[in-house]
Amino acid sequence: MANLNIDARAQNTYDAIVIGSGISGGWAAKELTGKGLRTLVLERGRDVRHVTDYPTTMMQPWEFDHRGQLTKEVKDANPIISKCYAFYEGTQQFFVKDAEHPYIQEKPFDWIRGYQVGGKSLMWARQTQRWSDFDFDGPARDGFSVDWPIRYADLAPWYSYVERFAGITGNKDGLDTLPDGEFLPPHEWNCVEKHFQQQVASRYKDRHVIMGRAAHITKPQPVHLQQGRAQCQHRTICERGCPFGGYFSSNSSTIPWAAKTGKMTLRPDSVVHSIIYDEQKGRATGVRIVDANTKQMQEYYARIIFLNAAALNSNLVLLNSTSHRFPNGLGNDSGVLGKYVAFHNYRAGISAQYDGNLDSTTDGRRPNSPYIPRFRNVYKQETDFLRGYAAGFSAGRTSRANQNGIGADLKQNLLNPELGGWYVGSHMMGETIPKETNYVALDSAQKDPFGIPQLKISIAYDDNDDKMVKDYQEQMTEMFTAAGFTNIRVRDDHRNPGLDIHEMGGARMGKDPKTSVLNKWNQLHTVKNVFVTDGSCMTSTSTQNPSLTYMAMTARSADYAVKAMKKGLV
Amino acid sequence: MAVAAGGLISLPAWATNWTSETVQLTHPFLTSGQDDLLADIAETIIPTTDTPGAKALNVHQFIQKIVTDCYDKSAQETFRNGLNAIEEQAQKAFGKPFREGDTAQRTALLTQFSQSTEPAQKEFYSMVKGLTVRGYMNSEYVMTNLTHYQMIPGHYYGCVPVPAKAVSQTK
């Protein structure tokens, strides 16, 4: 019997375990297998294979029973996920339904999740900007968080590394607020976007309108073709999964790349319960999972563990990994685990019309749009709120049919639409301040369907956010007015936190183990063989979309982990 | 060129086996008589001319599907009552079922509903008209033959001159 147990243990032992297969987990899998480690990738959801598991990707609009609309049954059963802009008839299969993973909203929070191989990398909006030193220096300067243990220079080569592989389109703009990357050719501007760019440039020396940087292959390089990916075809139905691999997803890129090494074992339907800590050895030895189908508990073992379950779930796993040594969660001597969660504020927007450039229009579709990097409080504190916001911006033209009348006249009108004027719009992406009062914790009584404590989420906006919303609306109105846009309308939809899908923090990085959970290598200060490289590691949130930074951090951290492992340090 | 690059990837069987008959009702909400009436109303709104009208494109089935699956009870009631009201009015106005009225009679009746002082009638008409337009414009026939929808444009050109006659024409 004893021998059998040893055999079983050996069978369940790997060099490395990666928890999660989304945007950062995919990179952990690729890097660790690429360096020769036998790696087990645990994914709580089902397997989703590139192309074959994208059931709606080639469906024409008329092939959807409800032409894309959600049914009443789905909406009634899913009040939270139904609010997500990307959730519709063609994408339902990739989003977590409300009942599948209950959580407790101490304050309203719309938690948007994708539980499957590839995670949310299948449905993300693909914007990929680097952070700058203004972002990494910010907390130390403003004093609103702890100092980051790294700076832009630490990450710069890793940004380049992941950009080349993932395929990022963009323009080299030479801005100190938004460092340039390794770009494929940028997408095209339209006339009105160009007009706005010129108007802004002529009036403000520190405000810029640039083409968005996005994870789309505008010109495939050999490394993309080797991945089996092809040029973006401008379908703009990305969130159904792209059969061309035109945008980056774990499914089309990192996971199959890791599989090709022969070193990866992928185990879907594996809900991670906790990380196992061995008191004698003073290290983590493995991971405890609940098989989603059988509900059986199972243990897997490895020398190093990468936690990439997505920000809030990584907090959950760490909090639920308790032992004598760590009664409040793995690596949580500081007591800050689960706290200082922050997010992005997408509440505000602005729209308007433009009466010029009527002799031109657009043709085709673009899965990307221009972008306005942060310009507030960059070089000095100039407002009564901390930090700032970036903004999306785009212009377009639609053709409108006159829908009056009935019968043959109506039909004639419908089939002969008139080209309308230009419309312009923008939305804000505000940085929120990580605060101790914005936290997640485990509920002591309520469990999820796998017997794991439910996550209690207590996150809200504050005054700083309200002031920032107001400033965005004022500044954009000023810029829109200057550009000659008319019928300007601002909005604040007061959406719940969470709906922006950029939750970050809880297991923040820092120099001091007393005030942070992870060190500069994304390594638990006190459990050196556990690395956390998803959104939970974030010390502050910046205004940039976070995914590219997770990818770069993961590659950097994996490189360090393997070197440290070889030196016997972990 | 760009499309050829995409062709390197082999697509699974279901991707090429498209069928046009996807509008199958799981729980029919209307009786078959009401369904026929709905088809005639939709056809009156968008009739057959030199191209197929709403009825030939099964727009009424689409409408019933949306009303059944996506609308709440009160909207469904408004819808059902509206259909009954149309039949009643048809009997009053031209002494026979709506179906047997001529185009002018049917059009007049629906126009009357669109301008009705009774909110329920007005709401019913705007619901049916909105769904008829949507079902028609999103039908395979219209999207492929008349508005030339492109699933895979393969490009984005930001600044092109407005064509002399901007958009698609009826054939």
Side-chain angles (χ1 to χ4, degrees):
Chain A
M1 281 306 279
N3 282 340
L4 274 178
N5 283 336
I6 289 165
D7 286 350
R9 194 176 169 103
Q11 236 174 32
N12 285 358
T13 300
Y14 297 82
D15 298 326
I17 293 175
V18 176
I19 301 170
S21 62
I23 224 149
S24 67
W27 272 98
K30 172 187 170 293
E31 295 305 305
L32 297 173
T33 55
K35 293 170 193 299
L37 269 57
R38 286 175 55 250
T39 305
L40 174 68
V41 179
L42 298 169
E43 166 53 53
R44 66 178 293 153
R46 71 201 155 88
D47 196 5
V48 168
R49 285 176 187 262
H50 183 49
V51 187
T52 47
D53 290 327
Y54 304 157
T56 60
T57 190
M58 294 305 285
M59 280 172 71
Q60 304 280 357
W62 57 86
E63 293 179 299
F64 289 97
D65 281 1
H66 307 95
R67 305 291 197 267
Q69 192 173 341
L70 293 169
T71 64
K72 191 174 177 303
E73 194 181 353
V74 170
K75 273 177 131 169
D76 287 351
N78 297 282
I80 297 167
I81 191 61
S82 293
K83 293 183 201 170
C84 178
Y85 74 99
F87 183 72
Y88 62 93
E89 195 174 23
T91 60
Q92 292 174 81
Q93 66 278 7
F94 294 144
F95 288 88
V96 173
K97 308 303 177 295
D98 291 5
E100 284 170 30
H101 187 195
Y103 63 100
I104 296 156
Q105 302 185 49
E106 282 197 342
K107 292 169 185 165
F109 186 88
D110 296 328
W111 194 11
I112 310 301
R113 294 151 293 169
Y115 292 164
Q116 62 252 329
V117 168
K120 289 179 298 212
S121 79
L122 274 172
M123 317 89 88
W124 66 318
R126 309 166 309 282
Q127 289 289 307
T128 42
Q129 310 94 6
R130 292 185 178 202
W131 281 34
S132 77
D133 263 330
F134 294 106
D135 302 300
F136 287 104
D137 291 346
R141 195 184 73 181
D142 302 349
F144 71 72
S145 182
V146 293
D147 189 12
W148 277 89
I150 56 171
R151 287 295 182 269
Y152 175 65
D154 295 298
L155 225 45
W158 295 101
Y159 274 130
S160 293
Y161 178 79
V162 297
E163 282 164 348
R164 281 193 293 261
F165 190 81
I168 307 293
T169 171
N171 185 55
K172 287 196 188 281
D173 299 294
L175 305 179
D176 55 2
T177 47
L178 204 73
D180 290 334
E182 313 286 329
F183 296 140
L184 301 172
H187 282 121
E188 270 196 36
W189 295 79
N190 66 45
C191 301
V192 172
E193 290 163 352
K194 240 181 193 149
H195 162 78
F196 185 61
Q197 181 194 39
Q198 286 157 1
Q199 292 298 310
V200 170
S202 70
R203 280 178 175 79
Y204 308 89
K205 66 175 182 355
D206 59 346
R207 300 188 186 186
H208 309 275
V209 186
I210 64 168
M211 182 44 68
R213 297 162 181 187
H216 282 268
I217 298 180
T218 47
K219 188 179 177 195
Q221 301 301 304
V223 69
H224 306 127
L225 300 174
Q226 282 162 32
Q227 294 169 46
R229 298 170 58 198
Q231 188 162 330
C232 168
Q233 298 297 306
H234 296 252
R235 306 191 319 153
T236 62
I237 46 176
C238 315
E239 59 283 346
R240 296 192 212 160
C242 180
F244 305 99
Y247 71 92
F248 173 86
S249 67
S250 301
N251 311 67
S252 66
S253 178
T254 46
I255 293 287
W257 195 267
K260 261 200 304 204
T261 64
K263 299 280 184 186
M264 181 181 77
T265 303
L266 178 64
R267 193 184 198 287
D269 302 311
S270 306
V271 182
V272 170
H273 174 278
S274 52
I275 294 170
I276 305 161
Y277 182 76
D278 187 313
E279 316 245 336
Q280 259 102 48
K281 291 180 180 154
R283 64 207 304 273
T285 51
V287 175
R288 204 172 278 123
I289 66 146
V290 179
D291 186 298
N293 300 314
T294 65
K295 302 278 169 86
Q296 293 293 305
M297 208 62 126
Q298 179 82 48
E299 290 184 355
Y300 292 94
Y301 312 97
R303 290 254 327 258
I304 57 170
I305 294 160
F306 267 71
L307 179 54
N308 300 88
L312 299 189
N313 271 327
S314 285
N315 275 285
L316 193 162
V317 168
L318 290 172
L319 287 164
N320 202 40
S321 303
T322 53
S323 56
H324 272 296
R325 169 67 184 85
F326 294 109
N328 302 313
L330 193 68
N332 190 20
D333 290 341
S334 63
V336 302
L337 179 63
K339 297 173 183 172
Y340 303 98
V341 174
F343 56 102
H344 280 156
N345 174 1
Y346 274 58
R347 260 165 51 187
I350 181 168
S351 61
Q353 289 167 217
Y354 184 58
D355 297 329
N357 288 123
L358 291 175
D359 54 347
S360 72
T361 187
T362 62
D363 184 18
R365 292 192 289 274
R366 185 184 59 195
N368 187 11
S369 62
Y371 178 83
I372 304 169
R374 174 182 164 201
F375 54 84
R376 274 306 208 195
N377 303 326
V378 177
Y379 303 100
K380 61 179 197 300
Q381 181 65 36
E382 57 192 354
T383 68
D384 64 346
F385 58 87
L386 288 176
R387 311 300 277 167
Y389 47 82
F393 170 79
S394 65
R397 239 180 138 171
T398 48
S399 52
R400 274 187 221 98
N402 174 359
Q403 301 207 356
N404 292 332
I406 181 170
D409 290 348
L410 172 64
K411 191 177 179 186
Q412 187 66 17
N413 289 341
L414 289 174
L415 295 174
N416 292 282
E418 307 255 314
L419 196 55
W422 290 89
Y423 62 87
V424 289
S426 163
H427 66 276
M428 80 178 286
M429 296 175 265
E431 173 162 11
T432 69
I433 306 300
K435 292 172 297 185
E436 189 169 10
T437 49
N438 276 349
Y439 67 89
V440 297
L442 301 186
D443 190 78
S444 54
Q446 301 196 63
K447 306 269 201 239
D448 73 10
F450 304 100
I452 297 168
Q454 286 192 24
L455 200 63
K456 256 188 325 205
I457 302 180
S458 192
I459 294 171
Y461 294 110
D462 63 13
D463 266 7
N464 203 67
D465 302 317
D466 295 339
K467 286 177 187 164
M468 202 186 280
V469 164
K470 196 162 161 279
D471 188 67
Y472 164 85
Q473 292 175 332
E474 287 168 1
Q475 297 307 313
M476 290 304 293
T477 299
E478 183 185 303
M479 289 154 74
F480 271 31
T481 305
F485 299 159
T486 57
N487 196 18
I488 296 172
R489 290 162 199 234
V490 293
R491 65 173 184 276
D492 174 359
D493 64 15
H494 293 282
R495 60 176 59 184
N496 292 336
L499 203 53
D500 39 76
I501 331 183
H502 289 185
E503 54 271 12
M504 289 173 252
R508 69 181 178 189
M509 296 170 79
K511 292 171 181 160
D512 184 352
K514 289 196 187 74
T515 57
S516 61
V517 178
L518 302 167
N519 68 12
K520 65 175 176 177
W521 301 110
N522 295 74
Q523 188 177 27
L524 284 178
H525 283 297
T526 47
V527 189
K528 297 286 189 201
N529 65 332
V530 176
F531 297 81
V532 187
T533 66
D534 62 16
S536 62
C537 77
M538 303 296 267
T539 306
S540 66
T541 67
S542 161
T543 56
Q544 282 87 302
N545 298 60
S547 309
L548 185 72
T549 299
Y550 304 162
M551 299 191 218
M553 278 181 173
T554 306
R556 174 178 175 270
S557 181
D559 182 65
Y560 170 80
V562 174
K563 284 177 181 154
M565 205 173 143
K566 284 179 181 154
K567 287 183 201 154
L569 296 176
V570 299
Chain B
M1 169 63 195
V3 174
L8 294 172
I9 295 180
S10 60
L11 295 172
W14 53 256
T16 46
N17 292 341
W18 299 332
T19 63
S20 56
E21 282 306 317
T22 56
V23 188
Q24 295 296 328
L25 270 177
T26 35
H27 311 288
F29 157 74
L30 300 176
T31 65
S32 62
Q34 286 172 319
D35 191 49
D36 291 342
L37 172 61
L38 182 58
D40 291 331
I41 294 172
E43 179 68 14
T44 307
I45 295 170
I46 300 181
T48 301
T49 51
D50 52 346
T51 57
K55 192 172 182 173
L57 299 176
N58 283 328
V59 170
H60 56 291
Q61 285 183 26
F62 163 74
I63 297 172
Q64 194 181 160
K65 183 116 188 136
I66 293 285
V67 173
T68 306
D69 295 349
C70 303
Y71 284 19
D72 62 22
K73 282 233 149 40
S74 84
Q76 289 177 346
E77 278 312 300
T78 303
F79 194 83
R80 211 191 313 251
N81 293 339
L83 288 174
N84 293 337
I86 290 277
E87 271 312 18
E88 274 173 34
Q89 284 299 117
Q91 285 296 344
K92 275 190 204 155
F94 38 92
K96 48 190 169 187
F98 184 83
R99 167 167 53 88
E100 288 169 23
D102 61 30
T103 304
Q105 287 172 321
R106 292 183 190 186
T107 305
L109 185 52
L110 290 180
T111 306
Q112 187 193 322
F113 266 64
S114 75
Q115 296 160 352
S116 174
T117 49
E118 266 186 58
Q121 290 193 354
K122 216 171 165 162
E123 197 185 325
F124 167 76
Y125 180 73
S126 88
M127 206 187 286
V128 179
K129 182 174 174 182
L131 287 171
T132 302
V133 167
R134 204 170 124 210
Y136 173 75
M137 293 304 286
N138 285 321
S139 68
E140 179 174 5
Y141 178 84
V142 171
M143 289 193 92
T144 52
N145 297 293
L146 306 181
T147 60
H148 307 296
Y149 169 77
Q150 282 184 302
M151 177 82 166
I152 307 174
H155 66 268
Y156 175 79
Y157 303 134
C159 298
V160 300
V162 172
K165 190 63 189 160
V167 236
S168 49
Q169 298 292 303
T170 48
K171 281 186 179 172

